[in-house]
Amino acid sequence: MKLAVAFLLAAPGLAQVGSDRIVLGIGPWTANASVDTSAWKTFGNGPSHTGAYLGVYGVGSTEFLWNNIYPQDIQQVAVKDGVVYASPWQYFGDAWLRALDSSDGSQLWKYDFDQCYSINPPTVDGEQVYVQRGNHSGDTHLWSFQSDTGVPNWVAPHAAQWERYLAPCVADGRVFVNGGYYGGMYGFDQNDGQQLFYLDLPQYDQWVPSYYGGRLYSFVAGTLMQHDPANAAIDWSLALGWNWSGWSMDRTIAIANGRAYLVNSDGLYCIDLTTGTVAWQYAGNFNGTPAVAGDRVYVMVGGMVSVHDAWDGSYEGLCIGSGAVLQQPLVTDDAILFSSATETFIFDRAKLSLRDWLPFGGELTLADGRLFIAGSNVLLGDGIWAFTIPGPSEAQPNLIGDVEPWRLVGPEPEVHSLVTITNSGIAPTGKYTAQLRLSDDLILDKDDPVLRLLRMRSLDPGESISGTMRLKWDSNLTGKYVLLDLDSRGDVSETDEANLFPTGAIQ
């Protein structure tokens, strides 16, 4: 259904490429599923693993709600529809999956597995919960459970040795996981567990592929690959080099705005997914999985989080904690959260200053106005701690854009990119103006010609729309960018005023 553009016009300074005018359209706009701040379904909060929570953490006190103590470490929990799904980190010990009421921690159901080497973090999607149980070849499986009862739906075997895994990636009716006797990647049908493919990859564990824009991405031992999600066929690969430091990756890829952000052994990388090439690199001894939100990337380095410009990698600041930061920063519209094994830190996203501190450490999940810490306290031991977050002090909208990689389409030919605009705030945006500008770089200059001026209707809180941007391809466009400048006239007072979202380089 057509939703948003009141008019599309050729604004003054419409670009000329050679002797031909750029023919550009955008739309029709169609509605997406609304932003669901009541759920955190998997590692990184979705199959693209951005680590972003589309909502406001708020300024004020983080209030204790409940805790459950267990005899084992707990891995990052998944949350959906007021239910917390939890599994333990264990070594040939008791293996289980629990469902808890998110409001008070009471147990709704529990499934006990046979004793095994590893039970791994859960992913919840739709009415199913997915978890891998690892116990060497012949006794390693991907399990699907009914989310409301804990009854198994199906169990799919896959090859393995003694491995641990990140939470399964669920997208496009499929479940993607790390596995294989000598390393690799599997795809399974989400509904019945039928194996769709296996791809042999280097023998590393503790990673999972990422899904974005209809393609699947793996990153193992310094090589990034783009795959067809139906059969894992490789579209392209990019070798970045790799310094071996063990047989566990302990990371995956965060993907947004047509770019993949990842930590290699020699630094932080941004990969343009249109070209399959390095957009920028920032050298450093980083670790884990970056988080990306708006125009910034957040990456762990020791007991700190380093902040970088998402478009050129330039250093913008440092959030200083203590101890080794775990897994991935968590970024909201207004805050940066990260934790060590014993402490959690909440920083202001704009000022990079400390807002709050908690004497509990572990892996973080944010959903439905609650912060869940799966980890430990020096006095109380291991368990899950739940807190109520302050929330927004005023009702504000917040515009977020995402621009997928360019695709060459048709005999003309044209290049297409899917544009998504979301209001992650809690107030309507009101009508606003956006621009599409043509640029030689990723910086908006006053001389960058306007391709289109867009009059956009108001977006309600949580509303998200998508439309296809179309350019008539011309060889003179190669290497240029289109800049999506949301709220170009400053009509909307937002939580985060960063509104420039560039495409990948046109090819």
Side-chain angles (χ1 to χ4, degrees), residues 229-253:
N231 54 24
I234 300 169
D235 299 327
W236 53 258
S237 66
L238 177 64
L240 303 174
W242 184 251
N243 296 322
W244 184 87
S245 60
W247 294 112
S248 296
M249 290 297 297
D250 293 320
R251 74 199 72 188
T252 187
I253 316 149

Side-chain angles (χ1 to χ4, degrees), residues 70-72 86-88 90 93-99 107-116 118-119 131 133 139 143 145 149-152 155:
Y70 299 105
Q72 301 153 287
S87 61
Q90 51 82 46
D94 293 334
W96 46 259
L97 177 67
R98 279 181 163 96
Q107 184 170 298
L108 303 176
W109 56 259
K110 180 188 179 190
Y111 187 91
D112 289 305
F113 298 92
D114 290 341
Q115 194 174 81
C116 58
S118 71
I119 195 74
V131 67
R133 174 185 174 275
D139 193 26
W143 290 66
F145 294 89
T149 63
V151 174
V155 181

Side-chain angles (χ1 to χ4, degrees), residues 465-480:
I465 57 173
S466 293
T468 298
M469 176 167 47
R470 303 177 303 279
L471 291 178
K472 182 178 180 181
W473 184 84
D474 185 294
S475 60
N476 292 305
L477 286 173
T478 301
K480 295 183 183 294

